[in-house]
Amino acid sequence: MIETTEPPDTGGPLSATGAGQTPSMPVITISPASPPASTPSTPSIPSTPSTPPATTPPATTAPPSAPAAGEPPAADRVDCAKKKCIALTFDDGPSAKSGEVLDLLKDRGVKATFFVLGERVKQYPKAARRMAEDGHVVGNHSYTHPTFWSLDAAAITSEVSRTTAAIEKATGRQVTLLRPPYGESNDTVRGVERTLGLAQILWSLDSRDWATLDTDKTVSRVLKQAKPGAIVLLHEIHASTRAALPAIIDGLAKKGYTFVTVPDLLGHTKPGVSYSQRK
Ligand code: NI
């Protein structure tokens, strides 16, 4: 598979816009049985981190394991083989504005997935708890939003395991999903994920909310590019994204989509394997 480097955040993770600068990532779908299905596109921002990733083969098959405790009981799941499912994901929280997003999702009966930063869970533990209590899934997005391609396995392990501990303390739920900052994956990252029991979740639809910071563009991009089985990348920390949410949700609902969490969309996932959409 080919992986494309992306620039780091311009601000610190706790700055007003810092950790939200998740760049565009190519859609990469990996399954143990087949090569990547799509060709990555060139990202719009040319600068690169200092350490480019090695080109890596598709992830190897992880050993089978029982469904994770974080997954809902099978009987409660939406059947995405029959329904037109889509998974909205919100990165880089929790934040002082999480409540606005959670209120909106609650009003519209939408379940989503939040990929949170450990240091922000420490800062906003009640917001993290409410995400879980409202029926959303809370995944790991590292502790400080570093570029994983610049870190060794020990440093990545520290970032990830401290975040899992913070989430589990705040929510009481087991963490089974990791979205690496900037979508930066390689063999080292997947090895850490395998060891820590985390499936890697990327995305198939980048709203580019982080780049445009434009409500109308965010709405139109999501509505135009939506496909059944898509995982949609959004950032709760941007006001333009929060303002876009009603039109995104109402527009997708009008097109017949059912909103599900990532575990509901994908079904059983394997640690150390990367997913960007429902197959
Ligand atoms: Ni991020």
Side-chain angles (χ1 to χ4, degrees):
M1 64 182 281
I2 299 164
E3 289 174 293
T4 310
T5 55
E6 290 288 350
D9 287 334
T10 52
L14 290 178
S15 66
T17 58
Q21 305 300 317
T22 303
S24 179
M25 268 292 295
V27 175
I28 302 166
T29 304
I30 299 169
S31 76
S34 61
S38 58
T39 304
S41 58
T42 304
S44 60
I45 301 174
S47 68
T48 58
S50 56
T51 309
T55 298
T56 57
T60 52
T61 303
S65 59
E71 294 177 16
D76 293 345
R77 285 191 200 155
V78 175
D79 185 353
C80 292
K82 294 176 183 162
K83 289 212 168 190
K84 204 170 155 185
C85 291
I86 197 162
L88 302 183
T89 66
F90 297 94
D91 286 12
D92 299 345
S95 70
K97 300 294 186 180
S98 294
E100 283 181 23
V101 174
L102 290 166
D103 287 347
L104 214 145
L105 296 176
K106 194 170 200 173
D107 286 348
R108 286 170 166 75
V110 170
K111 299 301 183 210
T113 304
F114 290 82
F115 289 97
V116 299
L117 298 175
E119 65 182 3
R120 287 188 171 172
V121 173
K122 288 269 194 190
Q123 195 178 358
Y124 302 100
K126 286 180 184 170
R129 186 177 316 133
R130 187 182 159 193
M131 288 170 183
E133 285 173 354
D134 283 5
H136 307 297
V137 168
V138 183
N140 190 322
H141 192 45
S142 82
Y143 204 83
T144 63
H145 211 278
T147 58
F148 275 6
W149 287 339
S150 68
L151 302 181
D152 63 15
I156 294 169
T157 299
S158 171
E159 279 280 333
V160 174
S161 58
R162 283 186 295 148
T163 303
T164 288
I167 295 169
E168 292 184 350
K169 185 180 176 197
T171 68
R173 307 284 169 83
Q174 188 183 353
V175 178
T176 60
L177 310 177
L178 173 75
R179 173 171 285 164
Y182 317 104
E184 287 186 351
S185 177
N186 57 22
D187 278 349
T188 306
V189 174
R190 286 186 290 270
V192 169
E193 290 166 347
R194 257 192 303 280
T195 302
L196 298 179
L198 299 164
Q200 180 178 97
I201 308 300
L202 300 178
W203 54 85
S204 59
L205 198 174
D206 182 354
S207 70
R208 291 185 58 79
D209 60 342
W210 56 274
T212 66
L213 297 178
D214 182 296
T215 296
D216 291 343
K217 285 179 182 167
T218 300
V219 171
S220 68
R221 188 173 172 92
V222 172
L223 295 185
K224 278 181 191 158
Q225 298 193 359
K227 288 183 184 140
I231 297 176
V232 184
L233 174 66
L234 296 158
H235 295 81
E236 65 159 88
I237 58 173
H238 299 311
S240 52
T241 303
R242 296 193 298 273
L245 268 186
I248 286 174
I249 292 169
D250 296 346
L252 290 175
K254 207 172 166 186
K255 289 171 182 271
Y257 283 96
T258 298
F259 299 93
V260 295
T261 64
V262 166
D264 277 350
L265 184 78
L266 298 178
H268 179 55
T269 52
K270 294 175 182 173
V273 175
S274 185
Y275 303 85
S276 59
Q277 61 192 318
R278 181 183 169 86
K279 286 290 211 178

